[in-house]
Amino acid sequence: MIAELGLGALWMAAALAVLQLALACGLGGEQGRSLRTIRSVAIAQGLLTALSFGALVWLFLDSDMSVKLVAANSHSQKPWIYKFAGTWGNHEGSMLLWVMVLALAGAVIASLERRIDEPTLGATLGAQAALALGFFTFLLLASNPFERLDPAPIDGRGLNPLLQDPGLAFHPPTLYLGYVGLSVAFSLAVGGLIRGEVGPSIARAMRPWVLAAWILLTIGITAGSYWAYYELGWGGWWFWDPVENASLMPWLAATALLHSVNVLAARGGLRAWTMMLALVAFSMSMVGTFLVRSGILTSVHSFAVDPARGSFILALLAIYIGGALTLFALRIAHVREGAPFEVVSREGGLVANNLILSVILGIVFVGTLYPLLAEALSGEKLSVGPPYFDSVASPLALVLAALMMIAPQLRWRRDRQPLLRRAAPGVLVAVTVLVATLLLAPDIGWLPRLGLAVAAGLVPASLQPLVGRSLRRTPLATWGMALAHLGVAVAILGMASDSAFTRETLSAARPGERINVGPWIVDFQGVRPIAGTNWTAIEAELRASKGGGVAVLHPQSRFFSEPPTTTNEAAIDSSWNGQLYAVLGERDEAGRWQIRLWWKPFVTLIWLGGGMIALGGLLALLGRLFRERRQRIRGEEAFA
């Protein structure tokens, strides 16, 4: 009955989405009464969708093999955490998770949003209902997660072993929360364009959602990068894989939107541009969903694919993106011009920031989709890999980082003060590091060399907005901006260091032999068989020494029986200045084991920087929310 309960709740939620859309279109009579009804319907829709998803979680935890989805993606002997993660480690479950987050976001808007006027809020909730309705239809007609299986098997087929990792168990939900958080910005933009109300109030309503979505996307991308680094055993942290790019594109658009929405909220500028970015950011989320769920990609990440159902998602994508862009084209002439500003100003810096981010987004978009389009039109398989992205996008990213050394220190509207003195600390540090690398490491490439210099210069520049202030009275939003920019500097330092100084050794060794990698001497002690909850493995013992320090690493080659799969489990030793990374390969005919070792100086700064960026965003979000709450309380006291 749990499956039938979940399916029934999904049908009722879909019906409420139809009702919500109809009411928002003006079929409910008097506006105020209609809006109250729309709010109630949106909340009920969110709760019913959550009930449906909860039912699916229950079925997975209970190992109910009479449900086709559970039998195909779980196993009764699997640890409970992976039964839980199996709920969304497949096509149907992940789409139900998507629509649940979408519906709950609509419920939160309906419950809490008071910044915009009632007609605009009604149009926004109508747009949110239209989005949800498409995905409800997709689930109910093409991807029913509660379909029964008769006869039911005793045990299921298990979950992809690559997904049986705590990091990836929580990685998809984090990204989904980010993706769908951008749906609110999309709906607010649609509502504002329909009603012709594009101004600071829309931006203030949009800003917390954009900021929260951006934080979650940052966490999701950072966690996904580290998962790929330690789980896939290839020693890299980013491969420009199309599915990686699918999460990066919304993040790039959200980053540009986050900066432009601040201009609109604070200064009333960039009105049309901000609305366009809000539409593009969620459109990139839709494109990402299509890439991952359509079956057109072969990737370690695209674990839930189906070409037939991909056509359905493509149709939704065309309707939503095409409809939104058409609305933008029809209504943009009615959007009032924003407040003017000069080129040398805070707004001017943010516009430059937006343009560079948009160009990088375009580069990633073309590089990701061009091979797919070329194959569809000509049948010829093309590959666009790291050389293209590194050579085109990375220099622009450094230009953006260099701009960050100056732009936050500019004044609003116009800045007639000399910039040189304000930019001097960052520029001085950058030039010093550039000269130092030329003298001490002449053999490294120009891109990592410039990355080290620009990142080093960005460190003092990020902290400059805090200089001369009373730190206790400095707004949380300013602390957040400084920390997020500092996180960018730290992450670039890690990337450049990894690119410039990593050392790699691939050996075929017998027990007792010695291998050198970077400053480390590694003794291969031997291998032994071990067993886990639902896997067996061959585990090597490596004793690594450097100076007076010793580290013992145990890389594994694991075998899962359900489904039959062999994976490499890397062993990593972390120290303050880098990581020693080891992978155990196969044994050759001569009895030697393939052992791959990397020494990666300061590579952990990449993920530390990602965490700092997300934490900076969280501080900014809390600062904005606290400030709005104080202003509301003061307003109520003044009115009383």
Side-chain angles (χ1 to χ4, degrees):
M1 286 299 292
I2 298 296
E4 286 69 29
L5 174 67
L7 185 59
L10 197 60
W11 273 105
M12 286 190 284
L16 289 177
V18 175
L19 177 61
Q20 182 177 328
L21 180 59
L23 289 169
C25 289
L27 301 180
E30 190 266 328
Q31 184 64 51
R33 192 173 55 195
S34 271
L35 186 61
R36 285 193 296 274
T37 307
I38 292 173
R39 287 182 189 272
S40 302
V41 170
I43 294 168
Q45 183 200 142
L47 293 175
L48 283 168
T49 314
L51 174 63
S52 180
F53 185 76
L56 190 62
V57 172
W58 179 288
L59 293 169
F60 268 87
L61 291 176
D62 195 42
S63 295
D64 187 345
M65 299 303 166
S66 69
V67 175
K68 185 178 178 181
L69 189 67
V70 179
N73 296 280
S74 190
H75 192 281
S76 59
Q77 299 304 312
K78 200 164 54 177
W80 76 268
I81 183 68
Y82 300 127
K83 291 182 183 178
F84 182 59
T87 309
W88 54 79
N90 56 79
H91 188 107
E92 294 83 351
S94 62
M95 296 311 298
L96 182 55
L97 173 63
W98 171 285
V99 78
M100 180 193 72
V101 178
L102 190 70
L104 287 177
V108 173
I109 305 170
S111 302
L112 303 178
E113 183 51 54
R114 297 291 186 273
R115 302 176 187 86
I116 55 179
D117 59 37
E118 290 190 352
T120 305
L121 179 58
T124 299
L125 290 173
Q128 196 75 6
L131 287 177
L133 185 57
F135 286 97
F136 282 132
T137 306
F138 173 69
L139 278 168
L140 292 169
L141 300 185
S143 293
N144 177 10
F146 299 103
E147 183 179 348
R148 289 289 190 182
L149 191 62
D150 187 20
I154 298 174
D155 278 316
R157 292 190 299 183
L159 176 69
N160 182 342
L162 288 176
L163 306 183
Q164 295 186 35
D165 179 87
L168 205 65
F170 296 100
H171 168 60
T174 309
L175 280 181
Y176 276 21
L177 287 167
Y179 283 164
V180 182
L182 292 175
S183 75
V184 179
F186 177 92
S187 297
L188 282 163
V190 169
L193 288 169
I194 290 174
R195 297 295 307 171
E197 292 294 329
V198 177
S201 61
I202 281 283
R204 291 185 191 112
M206 192 183 290
R207 185 163 54 188
W209 290 95
V210 176
L211 195 45
W214 180 79
I215 293 167
L216 290 163
L217 284 174
T218 304
I219 294 171
I221 291 171
T222 303
S225 167
Y226 194 65
W227 169 83
Y229 174 75
Y230 73 75
E231 181 64 23
L232 300 184
W234 60 285
W237 52 272
W238 192 266
F239 192 65
W240 295 105
D241 178 278
V243 181
E244 290 176 333
N245 295 346
S247 62
L248 180 63
M249 289 188 288
W251 184 87
L252 289 168
T255 305
L257 174 60
L258 184 61
H259 289 86
S260 67
V261 82
N262 277 330
V263 177
L264 179 54
R267 303 290 164 177
L270 303 181
R271 295 178 182 225
W273 177 248
T274 302
M275 294 301 103
M276 172 60 88
L277 280 178
L279 302 182
V280 168
F282 183 63
S283 297
M284 291 299 104
S285 298
M286 293 279 294
V287 169
T289 303
F290 170 68
L291 287 174
V292 178
R293 297 291 175 265
S294 65
I296 62 173
L297 295 177
T298 300
S299 162
V300 295
H301 300 80
S302 53
F303 49 83
V305 296
D306 188 318
R309 288 179 292 191
S311 302
F312 203 125
I313 299 177
L314 183 61
L316 289 179
L317 188 148
I319 292 170
Y320 291 138
I321 297 178
L325 293 180
T326 302
L327 175 67
F328 182 82
L330 293 173
R331 301 293 295 175
I332 192 59
H334 302 281
V335 175
R336 287 183 299 165
E337 186 179 353
F341 56 87
E342 294 185 358
V343 173
V344 182
S345 64
R346 178 75 69 88
E347 291 95 327
L350 291 172
V351 168
N353 154 298
N354 271 218
L355 291 176
I356 296 173
L357 282 167
S358 299
V359 173
I360 296 173
L361 172 60
I363 290 168
V364 177
F365 184 83
V366 171
T368 304
L369 294 186
Y370 173 69
L372 307 175
L373 185 62
E375 185 177 351
L377 296 178
S378 66
E380 183 181 0
K381 284 187 177 295
L382 298 175
S383 176
V384 176
Y388 161 77
F389 293 105
D390 288 343
S391 61
V392 181
S394 298
L396 284 171
L398 291 182
V399 173
L400 182 63
L403 178 67
M404 290 167 60
M405 293 167 59
I406 302 171
Q409 301 173 55
L410 296 173
R411 301 176 191 280
W412 292 106
R413 300 282 171 87
R414 65 180 184 179
D415 194 326
R416 302 289 171 84
Q417 301 297 319
L419 289 176
L420 186 59
R421 193 172 69 177
R422 283 174 282 171
V427 173
L428 186 61
V429 171
V431 171
T432 303
V433 171
L434 183 63
V435 172
T437 60
L438 285 169
L439 296 175
L440 302 176
D443 297 331
I444 66 175
W446 273 103
L447 204 57
R449 189 190 310 282
L450 289 174
L452 289 169
V454 171
L458 186 55
V459 171
S462 301
L463 300 175
Q464 257 178 286
L466 302 176
V467 175
R469 286 174 174 264
S470 168
L471 297 183
R472 292 183 60 185
R473 295 183 177 180
T474 299
L476 269 180
T478 304
W479 277 103
M481 179 191 70
L483 184 58
H485 286 193
L486 186 60
V488 172
V490 170
I492 294 176
L493 278 174
M495 296 173 196
S497 177
D498 179 58
S499 178
F501 305 120
T502 288
R503 297 292 178 266
E504 177 184 358
T505 299
L506 174 61
S507 298
R510 292 185 175 87
E513 292 187 352
R514 175 167 288 182
I515 310 166
N516 294 316
V517 58
W520 291 89
I521 300 171
V522 180
D523 292 313
F524 179 28
Q525 303 290 312
V527 299
R528 59 171 184 163
I530 62 170
T533 308
N534 60 337
W535 50 264
T536 58
I538 296 296
E539 181 180 271
E541 180 172 329
L542 303 172
R543 189 171 294 271
S545 58
K546 181 183 66 170
V550 176
V552 179
L553 294 90
H554 294 103
Q556 297 175 353
S557 178
R558 286 187 185 176
F559 176 73
F560 293 80
S561 57
E562 294 292 344
T565 308
T566 300
T567 65
N568 287 318
E569 299 295 317
I572 300 173
D573 179 75
S574 298
S575 54
W576 68 271
N577 61 344
Q579 288 188 330
L580 179 62
Y581 185 110
V583 175
L584 176 66
E586 297 181 350
R587 186 172 62 176
D588 63 18
E589 294 178 352
R592 299 175 302 179
W593 289 89
Q594 292 180 0
I595 297 175
R596 198 163 195 167
L597 299 168
W598 285 269
W599 166 239
K600 293 177 164 292
F602 300 105
V603 68
T604 49
L605 293 182
I606 296 172
W607 304 291
L608 174 63
M612 292 170 66
I613 295 169
L615 181 58
L618 180 61
L619 289 180
L621 177 62
L622 293 175
R624 300 286 183 197
L625 294 177
F626 289 156
R627 183 178 179 182
E628 286 187 10
R629 183 172 179 273
R630 284 197 301 269
Q631 289 175 342
R632 189 171 61 251
I633 291 173
R634 286 173 187 164
E636 290 171 354
E637 289 174 350
F639 182 76

